[in-house]
Amino acid sequence: MSVEEKVKENPVEEFLRTDRLPHVWCQGCGIGTTVNCFARAVRKCGIPLEKLAIVSGICCTGRVAGYLKLDSFHVTHGRPIPFATGLKLANPELTVVVYSGDGDIAAIGGNHLINAARRNVDITVIMLNNFTYAMTGGQVTPTAPYESINTTAPYGAYEKPFNLPHLVASCGAVYVARWTAYHVVQLTKAMVEAMNKKGFSFIEVISPCPTIFLRRNRLGDAIAELKFYKEHSVIKHGADTSEVGWDETRPDEIIVGKFVDVERPDFIEAMNTHLSKRLGDKYVWWGKK
Amino acid sequence: MATAEKTKKKKFRGVVHVLPERCKGCRVCVEFCPTGAITMSDGFNSRGFHYPEFTYPEKCTGCELCGMYCPDFAIYGYREKIGEGE
């Protein structure tokens, strides 16, 4: 096996803290797949590693910050977006990526999400949606679909779940996309676009949680779920975001694609333009002109 | 004979490399390999999981989809020029 001996390195190896591997995520969990995509996106987008920072909150996905060999920050529950906002405003040259889960970003940090989208802070939010609080044992999140079984909803959830692409798009996000853990190539491309986009970019990644969500709802293992995504995903670029919500536990179609891609002045630019107009020469421009 | 001629025409071959100690045996690479070049091995790693094996190298196109799907960074592929190092 002369071929096997000529081992090249795993292309994502340089972005990982390999001394901490194997990681804590379960067998078949989609988070590792998205980290794979993210590492490839970082390589493709051409942003130097010293200008890239990643912020995670508390959740299974929050562990991403610990496994990536970048400037990474692991902050309190629900607060990665305020932390990232501060990081970006203090050092406008950084590209700041928030990588967290649905419980962290949509539930506990929901207020921060809508305000960051409204202000159009130049950060990228990658939100991994596994429909449950996986790390704490499967409580109901605001993204849990109708009639899905959770530990705090043993007879099924009956609240309307968030339609997050619609929420952030209506608040003024400039880039909104949704992909699943099955669409690895498209997801990588979306991550490159989002990181290079100026303004608040939001990517929702639908991902299997085999140990909590799939097991409690008797939906099979991770492979069954990925095959479900493969068969039921419909790519609709520029779709009306009010129609992309996921209401049932097993929808007939999962609408994925790039929903919003518009231009709008971001927070720092708006601040500079407004204050220099008001204060004239007294105002010192913040960041690159 | 026909297959040998076919492989001669190809400019590269796909190579898949597995790191068994990282594998958790989720079988995603085996299921989603477009050409079926990977199978699960009978062996175990030190934590008791079956890991994938690169059983059919002649089928591999080097698309690296296995590496993109792997949640555990335990498998990766690349394309190698034929004739290189031989």
Side-chain angles (χ1 to χ4, degrees), chain A residues 25-58:
Chain A
W25 300 314
C26 308
Q27 185 188 47
C29 177
I31 301 172
T33 309
T34 61
V35 173
N36 238 327
C37 297
F38 181 71
R40 283 169 164 81
V42 169
R43 178 187 283 257
K44 269 187 198 166
C45 72
I47 297 168
L49 295 189
E50 64 272 15
K51 296 276 178 208
L52 184 66
I54 176 161
V55 187
S56 285
I58 308 294

mmCIF file of all heavy atoms in Angstrom, chain A residues 25-58:
data_model
loop_
_atom_site.group_PDB
_atom_site.id
_atom_site.type_symbol
_atom_site.label_atom_id
_atom_site.label_comp_id
_atom_site.label_asym_id
_atom_site.label_seq_id
_atom_site.Cartn_x
_atom_site.Cartn_y
_atom_site.Cartn_z
ATOM 1 N N TRP A 25 -19.005 15.614 21.039
ATOM 2 C CA TRP A 25 -20.288 15.464 20.355
ATOM 3 C C TRP A 25 -20.607 14.004 20.093
ATOM 4 O O TRP A 25 -19.722 13.179 19.891
ATOM 5 C CB TRP A 25 -20.279 16.272 19.049
ATOM 6 C CG TRP A 25 -20.060 17.725 19.292
ATOM 7 C CD1 TRP A 25 -20.675 18.486 20.231
ATOM 8 C CD2 TRP A 25 -19.132 18.587 18.627
ATOM 9 N NE1 TRP A 25 -20.189 19.768 20.180
ATOM 10 C CE2 TRP A 25 -19.256 19.861 19.212
ATOM 11 C CE3 TRP A 25 -18.232 18.421 17.581
ATOM 12 C CZ2 TRP A 25 -18.503 20.957 18.795
ATOM 13 C CZ3 TRP A 25 -17.486 19.499 17.166
ATOM 14 C CH2 TRP A 25 -17.623 20.757 17.765
ATOM 15 N N CYS A 26 -21.915 13.711 20.058
ATOM 16 C CA CYS A 26 -22.348 12.317 19.967
ATOM 17 C C CYS A 26 -22.055 11.731 18.592
ATOM 18 O O CYS A 26 -21.740 12.438 17.643
ATOM 19 C CB CYS A 26 -23.843 12.219 20.223
ATOM 20 S SG CYS A 26 -24.386 13.014 21.710
ATOM 21 N N GLN A 27 -22.251 10.431 18.521
ATOM 22 C CA GLN A 27 -22.077 9.703 17.266
ATOM 23 C C GLN A 27 -23.100 10.208 16.244
ATOM 24 O O GLN A 27 -24.296 10.176 16.499
ATOM 25 C CB GLN A 27 -22.324 8.225 17.554
ATOM 26 C CG GLN A 27 -22.086 7.313 16.413
ATOM 27 C CD GLN A 27 -22.544 5.919 16.739
ATOM 28 O OE1 GLN A 27 -23.638 5.721 17.255
ATOM 29 N NE2 GLN A 27 -21.713 4.945 16.462
ATOM 30 N N GLY A 28 -22.619 10.735 15.126
ATOM 31 C CA GLY A 28 -23.518 11.199 14.067
ATOM 32 C C GLY A 28 -24.036 12.609 14.233
ATOM 33 O O GLY A 28 -24.837 13.063 13.419
ATOM 34 N N CYS A 29 -23.612 13.324 15.250
ATOM 35 C CA CYS A 29 -24.078 14.703 15.481
ATOM 36 C C CYS A 29 -23.644 15.596 14.323
ATOM 37 O O CYS A 29 -22.530 15.487 13.818
ATOM 38 C CB CYS A 29 -23.497 15.220 16.777
ATOM 39 S SG CYS A 29 -23.932 16.930 17.104
ATOM 40 N N GLY A 30 -24.535 16.509 13.921
ATOM 41 C CA GLY A 30 -24.242 17.345 12.758
ATOM 42 C C GLY A 30 -23.289 18.493 13.029
ATOM 43 O O GLY A 30 -22.844 19.160 12.094
ATOM 44 N N ILE A 31 -22.963 18.751 14.283
ATOM 45 C CA ILE A 31 -22.115 19.911 14.582
ATOM 46 C C ILE A 31 -20.734 19.737 13.976
ATOM 47 O O ILE A 31 -20.183 20.652 13.371
ATOM 48 C CB ILE A 31 -22.010 20.126 16.111
ATOM 49 C CG1 ILE A 31 -23.394 20.340 16.715
ATOM 50 C CG2 ILE A 31 -21.138 21.329 16.413
ATOM 51 C CD1 ILE A 31 -23.406 20.378 18.216
ATOM 52 N N GLY A 32 -20.178 18.521 14.098
ATOM 53 C CA GLY A 32 -18.855 18.269 13.547
ATOM 54 C C GLY A 32 -18.814 18.500 12.042
ATOM 55 O O GLY A 32 -17.847 19.053 11.510
ATOM 56 N N THR A 33 -19.894 18.106 11.347
ATOM 57 C CA THR A 33 -19.966 18.316 9.903
ATOM 58 C C THR A 33 -19.911 19.807 9.572
ATOM 59 O O THR A 33 -19.208 20.226 8.656
ATOM 60 C CB THR A 33 -21.277 17.713 9.374
ATOM 61 O OG1 THR A 33 -21.374 16.383 9.844
ATOM 62 C CG2 THR A 33 -21.325 17.719 7.874
ATOM 63 N N THR A 34 -20.644 20.612 10.357
ATOM 64 C CA THR A 34 -20.650 22.045 10.057
ATOM 65 C C THR A 34 -19.304 22.678 10.399
ATOM 66 O O THR A 34 -18.886 23.621 9.735
ATOM 67 C CB THR A 34 -21.769 22.760 10.822
ATOM 68 O OG1 THR A 34 -21.549 22.595 12.215
ATOM 69 C CG2 THR A 34 -23.123 22.236 10.464
ATOM 70 N N VAL A 35 -18.626 22.164 11.423
ATOM 71 C CA VAL A 35 -17.288 22.678 11.742
ATOM 72 C C VAL A 35 -16.330 22.380 10.594
ATOM 73 O O VAL A 35 -15.502 23.212 10.213
ATOM 74 C CB VAL A 35 -16.770 22.072 13.060
ATOM 75 C CG1 VAL A 35 -15.324 22.459 13.310
ATOM 76 C CG2 VAL A 35 -17.618 22.526 14.213
ATOM 77 N N ASN A 36 -16.481 21.181 10.009
ATOM 78 C CA ASN A 36 -15.731 20.811 8.818
ATOM 79 C C ASN A 36 -15.944 21.830 7.708
ATOM 80 O O ASN A 36 -14.991 22.300 7.073
ATOM 81 C CB ASN A 36 -16.272 19.460 8.342
ATOM 82 C CG ASN A 36 -15.207 18.424 8.270
ATOM 83 O OD1 ASN A 36 -14.071 18.738 7.974
ATOM 84 N ND2 ASN A 36 -15.574 17.208 8.534
ATOM 85 N N CYS A 37 -17.229 22.179 7.481
ATOM 86 C CA CYS A 37 -17.567 23.162 6.446
ATOM 87 C C CYS A 37 -16.972 24.518 6.800
ATOM 88 O O CYS A 37 -16.453 25.222 5.936
ATOM 89 C CB CYS A 37 -19.076 23.302 6.319
ATOM 90 S SG CYS A 37 -19.881 21.825 5.808
ATOM 91 N N PHE A 38 -17.046 24.881 8.064
ATOM 92 C CA PHE A 38 -16.547 26.188 8.487
ATOM 93 C C PHE A 38 -15.038 26.280 8.274
ATOM 94 O O PHE A 38 -14.533 27.293 7.779
ATOM 95 C CB PHE A 38 -16.900 26.435 9.955
ATOM 96 C CG PHE A 38 -16.433 27.769 10.463
ATOM 97 C CD1 PHE A 38 -17.052 28.932 10.035
ATOM 98 C CD2 PHE A 38 -15.375 27.876 11.333
ATOM 99 C CE1 PHE A 38 -16.612 30.162 10.471
ATOM 100 C CE2 PHE A 38 -14.932 29.098 11.787
ATOM 101 C CZ PHE A 38 -15.560 30.246 11.352
ATOM 102 N N ALA A 39 -14.324 25.209 8.628
ATOM 103 C CA ALA A 39 -12.868 25.221 8.450
ATOM 104 C C ALA A 39 -12.512 25.361 6.972
ATOM 105 O O ALA A 39 -11.595 26.109 6.612
ATOM 106 C CB ALA A 39 -12.273 23.945 9.024
ATOM 107 N N ARG A 40 -13.265 24.693 6.115
ATOM 108 C CA ARG A 40 -13.019 24.820 4.676
ATOM 109 C C ARG A 40 -13.379 26.214 4.186
ATOM 110 O O ARG A 40 -12.721 26.762 3.290
ATOM 111 C CB ARG A 40 -13.814 23.761 3.915
ATOM 112 C CG ARG A 40 -13.168 22.402 4.011
ATOM 113 C CD ARG A 40 -14.087 21.322 3.500
ATOM 114 N NE ARG A 40 -13.382 20.095 3.243
ATOM 115 C CZ ARG A 40 -13.065 19.209 4.170
ATOM 116 N NH1 ARG A 40 -13.380 19.424 5.420
ATOM 117 N NH2 ARG A 40 -12.423 18.105 3.855
ATOM 118 N N ALA A 41 -14.431 26.789 4.772
ATOM 119 C CA ALA A 41 -14.832 28.143 4.383
ATOM 120 C C ALA A 41 -13.766 29.156 4.787
ATOM 121 O O ALA A 41 -13.474 30.081 4.040
ATOM 122 C CB ALA A 41 -16.172 28.489 5.021
ATOM 123 N N VAL A 42 -13.166 28.971 5.961
ATOM 124 C CA VAL A 42 -12.114 29.879 6.422
ATOM 125 C C VAL A 42 -10.932 29.817 5.460
ATOM 126 O O VAL A 42 -10.344 30.835 5.095
ATOM 127 C CB VAL A 42 -11.667 29.508 7.853
ATOM 128 C CG1 VAL A 42 -10.414 30.262 8.251
ATOM 129 C CG2 VAL A 42 -12.774 29.799 8.837
ATOM 130 N N ARG A 43 -10.618 28.614 5.005
ATOM 131 C CA ARG A 43 -9.513 28.452 4.055
ATOM 132 C C ARG A 43 -9.832 29.153 2.727
ATOM 133 O O ARG A 43 -8.976 29.782 2.128
ATOM 134 C CB ARG A 43 -9.293 26.967 3.816
ATOM 135 C CG ARG A 43 -8.223 26.636 2.820
ATOM 136 C CD ARG A 43 -8.252 25.162 2.573
ATOM 137 N NE ARG A 43 -7.635 24.451 3.665
ATOM 138 C CZ ARG A 43 -6.398 23.936 3.600
ATOM 139 N NH1 ARG A 43 -5.720 24.053 2.505
ATOM 140 N NH2 ARG A 43 -5.879 23.314 4.625
ATOM 141 N N LYS A 44 -11.109 29.036 2.293
ATOM 142 C CA LYS A 44 -11.488 29.593 0.993
ATOM 143 C C LYS A 44 -11.636 31.112 1.017
ATOM 144 O O LYS A 44 -11.358 31.769 0.026
ATOM 145 C CB LYS A 44 -12.837 28.998 0.558
ATOM 146 C CG LYS A 44 -12.706 27.747 -0.278
ATOM 147 C CD LYS A 44 -14.065 27.350 -0.798
ATOM 148 C CE LYS A 44 -14.056 25.897 -1.247
ATOM 149 N NZ LYS A 44 -15.401 25.392 -1.440
ATOM 150 N N CYS A 45 -12.134 31.670 2.137
ATOM 151 C CA CYS A 45 -12.533 33.082 2.101
ATOM 152 C C CYS A 45 -11.342 34.022 2.101
ATOM 153 O O CYS A 45 -11.475 35.199 1.783
ATOM 154 C CB CYS A 45 -13.477 33.402 3.251
ATOM 155 S SG CYS A 45 -12.671 33.449 4.834
ATOM 156 N N GLY A 46 -10.162 33.537 2.463
ATOM 157 C CA GLY A 46 -8.971 34.359 2.345
ATOM 158 C C GLY A 46 -8.787 35.385 3.440
ATOM 159 O O GLY A 46 -7.963 36.289 3.303
ATOM 160 N N ILE A 47 -9.534 35.282 4.527
ATOM 161 C CA ILE A 47 -9.333 36.190 5.657
ATOM 162 C C ILE A 47 -8.155 35.650 6.471
ATOM 163 O O ILE A 47 -8.150 34.472 6.821
ATOM 164 C CB ILE A 47 -10.600 36.267 6.528
ATOM 165 C CG1 ILE A 47 -11.753 36.839 5.716
ATOM 166 C CG2 ILE A 47 -10.363 37.106 7.776
ATOM 167 C CD1 ILE A 47 -13.094 36.690 6.367
ATOM 168 N N PRO A 48 -7.132 36.485 6.774
ATOM 169 C CA PRO A 48 -6.019 35.968 7.570
ATOM 170 C C PRO A 48 -6.478 35.532 8.953
ATOM 171 O O PRO A 48 -7.374 36.156 9.547
ATOM 172 C CB PRO A 48 -5.053 37.150 7.653
ATOM 173 C CG PRO A 48 -5.820 38.335 7.220
ATOM 174 C CD PRO A 48 -6.935 37.878 6.373
ATOM 175 N N LEU A 49 -5.885 34.464 9.468
ATOM 176 C CA LEU A 49 -6.383 33.869 10.712
ATOM 177 C C LEU A 49 -6.260 34.811 11.896
ATOM 178 O O LEU A 49 -7.042 34.728 12.844
ATOM 179 C CB LEU A 49 -5.639 32.555 11.000
ATOM 180 C CG LEU A 49 -5.851 31.418 10.019
ATOM 181 C CD1 LEU A 49 -5.249 30.143 10.557
ATOM 182 C CD2 LEU A 49 -7.320 31.203 9.720
ATOM 183 N N GLU A 50 -5.273 35.717 11.867
ATOM 184 C CA GLU A 50 -5.137 36.632 13.011
ATOM 185 C C GLU A 50 -6.198 37.726 12.994
ATOM 186 O O GLU A 50 -6.351 38.451 13.964
ATOM 187 C CB GLU A 50 -3.723 37.222 13.075
ATOM 188 C CG GLU A 50 -3.331 38.106 11.912
ATOM 189 C CD GLU A 50 -2.722 37.340 10.749
ATOM 190 O OE1 GLU A 50 -2.866 36.095 10.721
ATOM 191 O OE2 GLU A 50 -2.132 37.984 9.869
ATOM 192 N N LYS A 51 -6.944 37.826 11.877
ATOM 193 C CA LYS A 51 -8.015 38.833 11.798
ATOM 194 C C LYS A 51 -9.386 38.196 11.974
ATOM 195 O O LYS A 51 -10.402 38.798 11.641
ATOM 196 C CB LYS A 51 -7.973 39.537 10.435
ATOM 197 C CG LYS A 51 -6.727 40.339 10.189
ATOM 198 C CD LYS A 51 -6.845 41.708 10.789
ATOM 199 C CE LYS A 51 -5.561 42.482 10.569
ATOM 200 N NZ LYS A 51 -5.338 43.469 11.615
ATOM 201 N N LEU A 52 -9.403 36.952 12.423
ATOM 202 C CA LEU A 52 -10.668 36.238 12.532
ATOM 203 C C LEU A 52 -10.883 35.834 13.983
ATOM 204 O O LEU A 52 -9.975 35.304 14.616
ATOM 205 C CB LEU A 52 -10.616 35.006 11.624
ATOM 206 C CG LEU A 52 -11.858 34.155 11.495
ATOM 207 C CD1 LEU A 52 -12.958 34.930 10.816
ATOM 208 C CD2 LEU A 52 -11.558 32.905 10.698
ATOM 209 N N ALA A 53 -12.062 36.128 14.514
ATOM 210 C CA ALA A 53 -12.374 35.719 15.884
ATOM 211 C C ALA A 53 -13.700 34.989 15.885
ATOM 212 O O ALA A 53 -14.594 35.307 15.100
ATOM 213 C CB ALA A 53 -12.458 36.941 16.796
ATOM 214 N N ILE A 54 -13.808 34.002 16.752
ATOM 215 C CA ILE A 54 -15.036 33.216 16.815
ATOM 216 C C ILE A 54 -15.548 33.226 18.248
ATOM 217 O O ILE A 54 -14.772 33.097 19.190
ATOM 218 C CB ILE A 54 -14.804 31.798 16.245
ATOM 219 C CG1 ILE A 54 -16.055 30.947 16.394
ATOM 220 C CG2 ILE A 54 -13.644 31.086 16.860
ATOM 221 C CD1 ILE A 54 -16.048 29.775 15.476
ATOM 222 N N VAL A 55 -16.849 33.456 18.383
ATOM 223 C CA VAL A 55 -17.473 33.569 19.705
ATOM 224 C C VAL A 55 -18.566 32.526 19.814
ATOM 225 O O VAL A 55 -19.370 32.378 18.898
ATOM 226 C CB VAL A 55 -18.076 34.983 19.906
ATOM 227 C CG1 VAL A 55 -18.554 35.148 21.327
ATOM 228 C CG2 VAL A 55 -17.086 36.058 19.553
ATOM 229 N N SER A 56 -18.591 31.801 20.922
ATOM 230 C CA SER A 56 -19.631 30.805 21.151
ATOM 231 C C SER A 56 -20.230 30.996 22.527
ATOM 232 O O SER A 56 -19.557 31.476 23.439
ATOM 233 C CB SER A 56 -19.053 29.392 21.088
ATOM 234 O OG SER A 56 -18.790 29.029 19.778
ATOM 235 N N GLY A 57 -21.479 30.599 22.658
ATOM 236 C CA GLY A 57 -22.117 30.645 23.970
ATOM 237 C C GLY A 57 -22.102 29.273 24.609
ATOM 238 O O GLY A 57 -21.226 28.468 24.353
ATOM 239 N N ILE A 58 -23.103 29.025 25.450
ATOM 240 C CA ILE A 58 -23.192 27.730 26.129
ATOM 241 C C ILE A 58 -24.220 26.877 25.403
ATOM 242 O O ILE A 58 -25.373 27.241 25.306
ATOM 243 C CB ILE A 58 -23.635 27.924 27.594
ATOM 244 C CG1 ILE A 58 -22.765 28.941 28.310
ATOM 245 C CG2 ILE A 58 -23.659 26.603 28.331
ATOM 246 C CD1 ILE A 58 -21.346 28.547 28.509
#
